[in-house]
Every structure is written in C-alpha cells, then in structure tokens.
Amino acid sequence: MEAARDYLRKVLDQAFMPLASLLHWCRITPNQVSLGGILLNLVSAALILDGQLALAGIVYLLAGSLDLLDGVLARLAKLSSRFGAFLDSTADRISEGVVFAAIAYYFARHGLPVDAALTVLALLGSLLVSYTRARAEGLGLECKVGIVTRAERVVLIAVGLLLGLLPVAIYLLVFLTGFSATQRIVHTLRQLYPQG
C-alpha cells in the first residue's frame, strides 16, 4: 500500500510541476498556496451549507489538489521550511474541520441526527490518523502505515458530494479512519516494545 501511494505521489508531483513552475515564476510561495487551500475549503463548506453538494465536491477536490501543489512548489523553489511543514499540517486540520462541520450541520438540518453524529466521529478519526503519526514521529519513530491518509479522505468525501453518496462516504470514513488510527497505534507499540 505504501509503495503504491509513493508511486502515485511521484506521478502527481510530475503532473503538478508545470503549474508549480508557473506559480514560482509569479513569485507565489508555498505558504500562500496553503492559505489558498484553506480559503477554497471555506468556500466548499459554504456550498455544502447552501445545499450545492456537487459544486462543493468540485471545490473540495480543487482545495485538496493545492495540498499537493504546495509541496511540489516548495521543492521546486527550494522553499521547504519547518514552518511551511507546520503551516501545511495546520491548514489540513482547519480544512477538514470546517468541511466536516458543514457536513454535520447539513445532515442535522435535514433531520439526519445519526449521520450528523457519525460525521463528528469521522472527523475525530481523521484527526487521530494524523495525530498518531505526528506523535509517533515526535518520539523519533516511523509511522506511515494506514489504509487512509489525507489524500484518500479528500477523494472519498469529494466522491460522496459529487455522486450524492455523502452518508455512505461518512460511514466508510468512520470505519477506515478508526482502522487506520488503530494500525498506527499498533505499529508504534511494536516499535517501542519489539519483544512484546
């Protein structure tokens, strides 16, 4: 899974290189791209609140693509920095939070309280997937395992919005993020206690 993900990332990096070169020529920084991603996610959330789910899905995919683009631009322009990495991760959490909050509100407004509650659990799972990796790496460990990363979560929510399958996407995310967080916890435990 990790090898396939790395290969896909290289393919997407190559696909984004021309746009990254244009942005570099225009003197746009990776941090500005990250902030642009937050803005697009706010637009996506507003569209969800307005009931324009398909359009929200398109904007959400565009916002997700900026998450890849800022990294390509940082490497191209040699502007990678510790603050840039921090801002990128923070922007991702803000983006997920506002979009999931909009989805939960949408469900609640349409008389689907269980789906709204599950959306909160899906957000918790998404945050745990990211947190468990960050915490493990803070301990000096490697923790890239897991069946869903941010990219898969973006695609799943976008497909749910575009195809009118948002409840299904949320149910899947609750399971997949919980499973991925558990994978990372077990993986970290095995590194800390290899004989256990």
Side-chain angles (χ1 to χ4, degrees):
M1 176 70 87
E2 193 176 325
R5 194 175 285 143
D6 288 343
Y7 174 75
L8 181 59
R9 174 63 69 117
K10 287 178 184 175
V11 170
L12 290 172
D13 281 0
Q14 285 301 115
F16 278 112
M17 191 58 72
L19 181 54
S21 297
L22 176 63
L23 293 176
H24 179 51
W25 183 78
C26 294
R27 299 185 185 278
I28 293 174
T29 68
N31 291 347
Q32 289 170 332
V33 174
S34 295
L35 294 174
I38 294 175
L39 181 60
L40 277 181
N41 277 291
L42 288 170
V43 171
S44 180
L47 289 168
I48 292 168
L49 295 177
D50 195 44
Q52 300 183 58
L53 300 188
L55 185 54
I58 293 169
V59 174
Y60 192 56
L61 273 178
L62 288 173
S65 69
L66 292 186
D67 190 35
L68 292 172
L69 182 59
D70 61 3
V72 176
L73 179 58
R75 289 186 292 276
L76 173 71
K78 296 181 175 50
L79 291 173
S80 296
S81 68
R82 293 169 68 187
F83 178 75
F86 170 81
L87 178 63
D88 183 46
S89 294
T90 303
D92 289 348
R93 304 296 80 77
I94 293 169
S95 298
E96 281 188 313
V98 296
V99 170
F100 277 77
I103 291 170
Y105 180 82
Y106 175 85
F107 283 144
R109 190 176 64 189
H110 287 84
L112 300 166
V114 173
D115 290 348
L118 287 173
T119 301
V120 176
L121 286 179
L123 174 59
L124 174 61
S126 296
L127 295 175
L128 276 174
V129 170
S130 300
Y131 176 80
T132 48
R133 176 178 173 178
R135 192 68 188 96
E137 290 177 348
L139 295 172
L141 306 173
E142 176 277 324
C143 193
K144 293 182 180 179
V145 300
I147 54 175
V148 288
T149 62
R150 166 102 166 113
E152 288 88 5
R153 298 195 302 267
V154 167
V155 169
L156 193 52
I157 288 294
V159 168
L161 289 166
L162 285 165
L163 301 182
L165 298 171
L166 196 51
V168 176
I170 291 298
Y171 305 155
L172 283 171
L173 271 180
V174 170
F175 172 74
L176 293 172
T177 56
F179 188 78
S180 292
T182 302
Q183 283 181 294
R184 290 184 171 182
I185 291 167
V186 171
H187 182 72
T188 300
L189 188 63
R190 286 176 175 165
Q191 290 181 85
L192 289 171
Y193 303 102
Q195 307 304 322

